């Protein structure tokens, strides 16, 4: 789905409209579902890459949030960034 396509012209107002109509607790899941549909429209194999990036980010974020020591936090941040940026090369 390209930004200048008719599909996107229908998708964006629908996604934004439903976002504001939903209760607050359902808005984040709706945005996540909308993102998956948008990225999946380019090819379902893209969802696998997105899932890998999400898992790497979550692991790095947990490493950052569970410790207070600077060297471990720096290692978690560096490892996460190297892994995510390394996926750009693949």
């Amino acid at each position: 789905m390209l930004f200048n396509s008719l599909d996107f012209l229908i998708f964006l107002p629908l996604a934004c409209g439903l976002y504001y109509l939903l209760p607050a607790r359902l808005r984040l899941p709706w945005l996540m579902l909308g993102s998956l549909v948008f990225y999946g429209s380019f090819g379902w194999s893209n969802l696998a890459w997105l899932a890998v990036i999400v898992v790497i980010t979550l692991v790095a974020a947990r490493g950052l949030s569970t410790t207070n020591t600077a060297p471990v936090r720096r290692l978690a941040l560096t490892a996460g960034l190297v892994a995510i940026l390394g996926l750009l090369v693949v």
Side-chain angles (χ1 to χ4, degrees), residues 15-47:
C16 290
L18 284 174
Y19 173 82
Y20 287 110
L21 291 175
L22 288 172
R25 66 181 177 83
L26 295 177
R27 288 182 177 176
L28 182 60
W30 173 251
L31 287 179
M32 292 172 57
L33 179 65
S35 294
L36 289 174
V37 169
F38 179 76
Y39 286 113
S41 71
F42 291 106
W44 294 106
S45 64
N46 294 338
L47 292 180

Side-chain angles (χ1 to χ4, degrees), residues 5-85:
S5 69
L6 181 61
D7 293 337
F8 185 73
L9 186 64
I10 295 169
F11 172 77
L12 184 63
L14 180 66
C16 290
L18 284 174
Y19 173 82
Y20 287 110
L21 291 175
L22 288 172
R25 66 181 177 83
L26 295 177
R27 288 182 177 176
L28 182 60
W30 173 251
L31 287 179
M32 292 172 57
L33 179 65
S35 294
L36 289 174
V37 169
F38 179 76
Y39 286 113
S41 71
F42 291 106
W44 294 106
S45 64
N46 294 338
L47 292 180
W49 284 107
L50 185 61
V52 169
I53 290 171
V54 166
V55 168
I56 291 170
T57 304
L58 285 173
V59 169
R62 295 222 183 219
L64 286 169
S65 67
T66 58
T67 185
N68 291 330
T69 59
V72 176
R73 290 174 60 88
R74 192 173 299 119
L75 177 66
L77 178 63
T78 304
L81 286 174
V82 166
I84 291 172
L85 293 175

